[in-house]
Structure formats: C-alpha cells, structure tokens
Amino acid sequence: MSITERLKERLKKTASYNRASMEEEAWHSKSYHKYFEGYAEQKKTMPNGKQKIVRVYVGDYHSQNLTRKQGVCLRILYAAFFALSVLCFFLAAKNRTEGNFFWLSAISHAAAGGLYLWVFYGLVNYLMTGRDMTINDYRTSSLVLMKATVAEAAALASSGLVALLWFLICDHTLSGLLNAVLFFLAGGCVLAVRFLEQKVEYTVKKNDGKAEYGDVVID
C-alpha cells in the first residue's frame, strides 16, 4: 500500500470516528444529562454479545427532614389541596355568568388551565419519590412545585380579580361574587402547597455508592 493510500485510509477512519462521536454527543443531549445527572454509566457486554448501558446512582441525595408518617401525610395534603383547587376552578369557570365570557377572563382561564398541567406534573413526581431524592427527582418534584404553584396562583388571582371587578361594575349578582371567591380560593389552595413545601427542610446527603474505574459519571 502506497503512502497516498495509507493517508486516504487514515482519513476515512478519522472521519468515521468523528461522525460516530458526533452522533453519540447528539444523543447525549442536555435533557439526557439533566435526567441522568449523578448517575455513573458503563457499557457492559451481555452473554449474547450485545452491549447494554448499566447505570448506578452515585450522586448526592436531597433528603427530607421528615418521618415516614409526616412524608406520607404531606403528600396526601398536597394532593387534597390540588384537587380542591381544580374543583373550585371548574365550578367557577363553568358558571355561565357574563363575566366569564369577557376576553380578559378567557385569557386568564386558559392560562390557569394550562398551568394546572405543570403543577400536576410536579405533584405526580413528588408523590412518586421517597424522602431521599436524586438530583433529578428533587428538580422535577419539589423545585417544579415551588415554581408552578406561584405561576398558577398568579393566573387564578387574575381570574378572580377580573371576576370581582365585573361583579362590582357590571354584575352585582351573588353568582358573580361567588365566581370571584372560587377563583381566589383555588389560588389559595395552590399557594398553600408552596407554603408547606417551602417549610420542608432538605439535607444534602452523601451517597455511599462509588463509581468504578472506567465508569462515566454524568453531570
């Protein structure tokens, strides 16, 4: 093989390697790193010859300073507040008062309805985690609840404010006043979740697990 052919062969191998590296880097996206942050992973060859990625959590835990009973009661309370908030919002939004058809009301109602999905996402993750949370568990449960409940409360407060102003200026009926009260009550329920979660103390606890030589620790 001539020198020119050797150079061409080497360039082909380099291009192939770079292409494979780029594909692997693209696969390990930002969301991948966030989801598996704190995990050590290693490719292992199975008896059938296929490779499998094995992951072990080696990062720190965010541990709630609560007893098991307190943790269970807190999760039940969060779920109850969320259910009560949705119920109040539904009762107020379905009320066929003229104020609910005002364009400002429609915008705030739509925002509140959409933000409930964000709160629900954080709540489901919270209910599925234990007292010791991985980095991603803590990020997608406690931190999501802290942010989503504030946004939801703001949207519900705007709905309540529009309903109250409509009652004072245009409506003057008990139904219009009840609408405003229900919206404010719905917002108060989600704020109660944030208030309680803000009071929960978390301790960063070291993990006893250690990465083996050759493991890739995701950060």
Side-chain angles (χ1 to χ4, degrees):
M1 184 181 291
S2 64
I3 296 176
T4 305
E5 290 175 338
R6 288 179 183 176
L7 286 173
K8 287 182 179 179
E9 187 68 25
R10 185 174 295 178
L11 286 171
K12 284 182 181 179
K13 289 181 179 179
T14 303
S16 177
Y17 174 79
N18 289 337
R19 187 162 52 250
S21 298
M22 288 175 66
E23 289 175 357
E24 186 175 356
E25 186 177 351
W27 176 255
H28 290 175
S29 61
K30 185 178 179 181
S31 59
Y32 179 92
H33 280 265
K34 286 182 70 175
Y35 186 83
F36 290 112
E37 184 176 355
Y39 281 84
E41 62 179 29
Q42 186 181 64
K43 288 184 179 179
K44 292 189 176 180
T45 304
M46 307 305 290
N48 58 5
K50 293 184 178 180
Q51 285 192 329
K52 179 182 179 181
I53 295 179
V54 179
R55 299 182 184 90
V56 179
Y57 187 70
V58 295
D60 296 335
Y61 285 104
H62 292 267
S63 182
Q64 293 179 328
N65 294 339
L66 301 171
T67 64
R68 180 178 178 81
K69 184 178 180 180
Q70 288 173 333
V72 171
C73 290
L74 188 67
R75 284 158 173 77
I76 293 174
L77 196 58
Y78 285 3
F81 273 129
F82 177 77
L84 181 59
S85 178
V86 172
L87 177 62
C88 290
F89 173 75
F90 175 75
L91 291 175
K94 83 178 186 66
N95 196 349
R96 299 187 65 81
T97 61
E98 291 184 8
N100 275 345
F101 296 97
F102 186 49
W103 67 272
L104 277 177
S105 297
I107 292 174
S108 59
H109 295 358
L115 287 168
Y116 268 125
L117 297 176
W118 191 17
V119 179
F120 181 71
Y121 168 74
L123 180 62
V124 169
N125 288 332
Y126 198 93
L127 295 177
M128 293 177 63
T129 60
R131 286 175 297 171
D132 294 337
M133 301 181 184
T134 65
I135 296 172
N136 187 65
D137 287 342
Y138 178 69
R139 182 190 294 124
T140 57
S141 59
S142 178
L143 293 186
V144 166
L145 276 181
M146 294 287 284
K147 296 175 183 177
T149 49
V150 171
E152 180 63 57
L156 291 168
S158 64
S159 291
L161 184 60
V162 172
L164 182 60
L165 290 174
W166 189 272
F167 163 74
L168 294 173
I169 299 172
C170 305
D171 197 347
H172 308 298
T173 64
L174 182 61
S175 178
L177 178 60
L178 180 61
N179 248 27
V181 172
L182 286 172
F183 281 127
F184 285 128
L185 182 59
C189 287
V190 291
L191 274 185
V193 173
R194 189 190 192 282
F195 175 78
L196 290 172
E197 182 59 20
Q198 196 172 13
K199 296 294 183 181
V200 176
E201 294 183 358
Y202 286 85
T203 302
V204 178
K205 190 165 66 175
K206 292 294 181 182
N207 189 354
D208 295 333
K210 293 182 180 180
E212 298 179 1
Y213 179 76
D215 288 354
V216 176
V217 179
I218 302 173
D219 53 17

